[in-house]
Amino acid sequence: MGRGTGENVGFVRTVRAAVVAGAVLVVAVVSGCTVPSTLPDGSVPQVAPVGLNGMAQDPTADGGNVWAADYFGHQLLRFDPDTGRIAERYGGLCDTDDVVVAPDGSLIATCAGEGTVVRVQRDGAVGVLAVVGRGVNPIALEPGGEAVVVGFGTTDDDRLLRVPLDGGPVEVVADGLPVLNGFGFGPDGRLYAPTGGVEALLGSTGGLIAIDVATGSTEVIPLQFDEPGRTGLAFAVGVDVGPDGTVYIAQGVDPALYAVDPATGHAALVGRSPEAAADNVLVLSDGRILLSGFVGNSVVVFSPDGTGGWIRTVTAVGS
């Protein structure tokens, strides 16, 4: 989730203050400290993150294959979703909001407060790939692996941008878009994104769109819920897409995860989170789905039960 600016900043601050009220002291103390990547004995510190935001799977990593951005902790970390053990981390970065793994193994992250897209090499070297504007939030690797697309989590910027990984010029893919949050590409090549921003809390109007990145055209997917009276989500915060095309979308407040058929818009409840808030979604290659939280070190894991249902567990990351 990115920071609010402009006319909606008061509302954003009010909502987020309520969500993180119980964690204010932790955020204030820990976010001002940089956790080293390794200790003198070569081990990786197991200090818990301040929060878990955007996530990405690293198919080549051993000992934990999920990367997460920690917005308040200004760091990226790789952890094992089964044990919570942290296998790799890079701190002292920026307001890291979302992350992807590039084909060369480097990490590409959005820095919401700084308005940049950065590349973090696995030796710890950090460079700015592009300056795009404050509020930059979601990021996704294009299917071809040559660029990332980034969007904005505020009403102050309505663009979707393409950022080449070779350092080439940034291109505008689409503009006039609603507030976006964590998004992902589907097997059909379209980019699926949650919409509505924090303002959707007022009327549970958070929704889902699909963007054709080749043309910039956008399709609104009307959501159809089984729950009586529900027409939208209270703060739609993250999306990822399964290999069969099912779109998984998270509700940030009263956190829950829904499975959406993009052809019909039918949204089936996968499960609810016991945490105070949700921030992003990651579909793992083994079929499990992770739901991260805005603050705290817990990730909620939804595992298929073999009968069409889901088993929910919670993994604490770090210690």
Side-chain angles (χ1 to χ4, degrees), residues 21-40:
V24 168
L25 181 59
V26 174
V27 169
V29 173
V30 180
S31 64
C33 304
T34 298
V35 179
S37 296
T38 57
L39 297 174

Side-chain angles (χ1 to χ4, degrees), residues 6 10 40 104 110 147 151 173 204 208-209 226 231-232 243 249-251 259 278 283 311:
D104 67 356
T110 52
V173 175
S204 292
L208 176 67
I209 61 173
D226 297 326
T231 58
I249 186 169
Q251 176 171 272
V283 178
I311 299 170

Side-chain angles (χ1 to χ4, degrees), residues 84 232 252 289:
I289 305 171

Side-chain angles (χ1 to χ4, degrees), residues 44 46 57-67 77-83 85-89 101 122:
V44 177
Q46 295 303 304
Q57 187 168 9
D58 188 339
T60 65
D62 294 323
N65 65 354
V66 176
W67 282 99
L77 51 89
R78 178 168 61 87
F79 67 92
D80 186 325
D82 295 310
T83 66
R85 181 170 180 78
I86 299 171
E88 195 173 354
R89 70 193 310 158
V101 182
R122 302 297 273 271

Side-chain angles (χ1 to χ4, degrees), residues 107-185:
L107 308 171
I108 312 298
T110 52
C111 300
E114 296 80 3
T116 57
V117 179
V118 300
R119 185 197 297 268
V120 181
Q121 302 287 356
R122 302 297 273 271
D123 62 2
V126 182
V128 174
L129 193 59
V131 178
V132 295
R134 285 175 57 86
V136 61
N137 181 334
I139 187 171
L141 182 68
E142 285 191 341
E146 296 180 352
V148 294
V149 291
V150 299
F152 293 83
T154 78
T155 57
D156 295 316
D157 202 321
D158 61 5
R159 300 172 298 162
L160 179 70
L161 304 178
R162 182 179 187 270
V163 181
L165 297 183
D166 64 3
V170 175
E171 306 168 12
V172 177
V173 175
D175 56 15
L177 297 173
V179 174
L180 302 177
N181 218 315
F183 48 38
F185 281 98

